[in-house]
Amino acid sequence: FIPIASLHFGRLGVAAVAAAAMDAFVVRDEKGTIETVPVPTPAADECLVRVLIAGVCGTDLEILQGYKKGFAGVLGHEFVGVCETAPAEYDQLVGKRVVGDINLACSDCSCCAVCAGGGDRARNHCPSRTVLGILKKDGTYARYLTLPARNLHIVPDCVSTENAAFAEPLAAAYRIVEQGVIAPLDRVAIVGDGRLGLMISECIGRHMTEGAPRPVLFGRHSEKMKLLSASANMKVALASEALPSRAAAFDVVVDATGNPDAIIFARQLCRPLGTLVLKSTCAGETTLNTAPFVIDELRVIGSRCGPFEPALALLASGLDLTPLIEATFPLEEVVAAMARAGTKGTMKVHLRCSSD
């Protein structure tokens, strides 16, 4: 039970929160349909957010292919929306455009050693966490969602709604910088010229210190690599021309291909005692000969969700990711949107869930 006095209401009213229904894309048994469902009721520490734009992510498509066995609920985790209600101590959020961390940690520091430790481990790896649109928490393919107020971040006024919708994947891209795997003079390669590879390149290229070798983005599509901003300060090269001349030429190699078999190519680019960063989550399985990883003594690091503050700062500084948007569909056409997003070579697809 949430005392009405403890909530600050925005555009919705008390009656609307209690009685409204909404459209949502609900998944059961790896199949999804648009359904009319009740507007979610926020818990005592949560806000009700009206979704403006939801991004269609590769992870969403992988869930429908079995990446998260048994997932049931509203799909989606990338969004920008408007905070409609909030706990009284967070009333500054009401009426603001917001984006949000997708991991909901238990935050019970008396019982959870991970949450008690704080930092990025608590943010990403609470063993009791739920995850927006991925694990036991309804997601973004809907008119409304709920998230803890502490998970929300206000979008700067200078950032467009369409650009703000990239905050979550850009934060995930920035996670590699946050993890500190790149030394000041490291030679860095990113493999994959899809939307994630391009965002990782935007983050890493800006992070490199003066005098460091320029990172190299390896891809298969020259026209996609041309979408990189000049500020990324990246070199680009066709993956088909990388070997053998650039074998073992990089200290850090990031795989952002979305293809489980591409780790072999990424490993070939990495020098002995180098670092291989895996960024893609894939439902498919692959057979991998681990001997070269052992022989070369490679360090293999997974990389997942990242910090929103630097991502929003990048967007506010002028990084414009809207050229990556290939199509925008209304929520009612979510099936067509996902089909488009799943078509080979497609860049970013957005869902317009409500008007600004």
Side-chain angles (χ1 to χ4, degrees):
F1 175 72
I2 306 172
I4 291 296
S6 70
L7 292 177
H8 184 114
F9 289 86
R11 169 169 152 173
L12 284 181
V14 175
V17 171
M22 66 176 187
D23 290 335
F25 184 71
V26 181
V27 174
R28 296 184 184 87
D29 300 322
E30 298 172 14
K31 296 179 181 178
T33 57
I34 284 282
E35 298 181 12
T36 299
V37 300
V39 170
T41 301
D45 64 341
E46 288 188 327
C47 298
L48 180 69
V49 176
R50 177 169 54 88
V51 182
L52 299 174
I53 293 175
V56 178
C57 176
T59 301
D60 304 338
L61 304 179
E62 294 290 337
I63 286 173
L64 290 178
Q65 298 297 318
Y67 163 61
K68 284 290 183 181
K69 295 291 185 183
F71 173 81
V74 179
L75 195 62
H77 58 276
E78 299 179 8
F79 78 95
V80 56
V82 175
C83 180
E84 296 285 3
T85 74
E89 63 270 30
Y90 288 95
D91 62 358
Q92 73 275 10
L93 294 174
V94 175
K96 299 292 187 180
R97 290 181 305 151
V98 292
V99 293
D101 286 294
I102 68 173
N103 295 286
L104 286 71
C106 73
S107 298
D108 186 353
C109 296
S110 63
C111 298
C112 178
V114 173
C115 287
D120 55 355
R121 186 181 176 201
R123 182 191 69 210
N124 287 358
H125 298 291
C126 168
S128 300
R129 72 185 181 276
T130 59
V131 185
L132 184 69
I134 296 175
L135 181 66
K136 299 179 181 178
K137 179 67 175 178
D138 284 337
T140 63
Y141 291 8
R143 302 290 182 194
Y144 295 92
L145 59 82
T146 61
L147 269 182
R150 63 181 175 273
N151 282 51
L152 296 180
H153 305 265
I154 294 175
V155 176
D157 291 340
C158 61
V159 179
S160 72
T161 296
E162 292 75 14
N163 208 25
F166 286 93
E168 193 281 332
L170 185 62
Y174 196 88
R175 172 64 173 154
I176 299 169
V177 175
E178 183 187 43
Q179 288 173 294
V181 300
I182 301 172
L185 297 179
D186 274 349
R187 300 162 298 168
V188 180
I190 296 100
V191 181
D193 57 13
R195 50 195 180 270
L196 180 58
L198 293 174
M199 284 186 279
I200 291 170
S201 298
E202 296 285 358
C203 293
I204 289 179
R206 286 168 167 79
H207 169 72
M208 301 302 292
T209 58
E210 186 175 354
R214 288 171 66 192
V216 182
L217 172 63
F218 289 97
R220 296 188 299 174
H221 311 91
S222 297
E223 67 278 10
K224 289 184 178 180
M225 292 189 283
K226 289 178 182 177
L227 294 172
L228 281 172
S229 70
S231 298
N233 196 32
M234 295 284 299
K235 292 182 179 179
V236 298
L238 291 174
S240 59
E241 300 174 0
L243 299 175
S245 61
R246 285 177 160 172
F250 296 92
D251 303 292
V252 179
V253 180
V254 180
D255 171 37
T257 61
N259 180 351
D261 294 324
I263 188 174
I264 298 171
F265 172 69
R267 192 270 305 165
Q268 290 173 313
L269 295 176
C270 197
R271 65 161 173 84
L273 295 174
T275 299
L276 184 59
V277 181
L278 306 184
K279 198 65 190 176
S280 302
T281 53
C282 304
E285 297 181 355
T286 186
T287 300
L288 184 66
N289 177 11
T290 59
F293 295 82
V294 177
I295 293 167
D296 285 346
E297 298 184 285
L298 298 181
R299 182 171 62 150
V300 180
I301 295 178
S303 183
R304 189 169 159 261
C305 302
F308 273 70
E309 292 84 355
L312 288 171
L314 279 175
L315 296 175
S317 73
L319 174 58
D320 182 14
L321 295 173
T322 59
L324 303 186
I325 302 171
E326 188 162 315
T328 300
F329 291 78
L331 177 61
E332 293 77 12
E333 297 179 20
V334 59
V335 174
M338 297 187 77
R340 177 70 172 272
T343 302
K344 192 172 183 179
T346 299
M347 295 301 282
K348 196 64 181 178
V349 173
H350 280 167
L351 289 170
R352 173 56 82 163
C353 299
S354 66
S355 57
D356 291 25

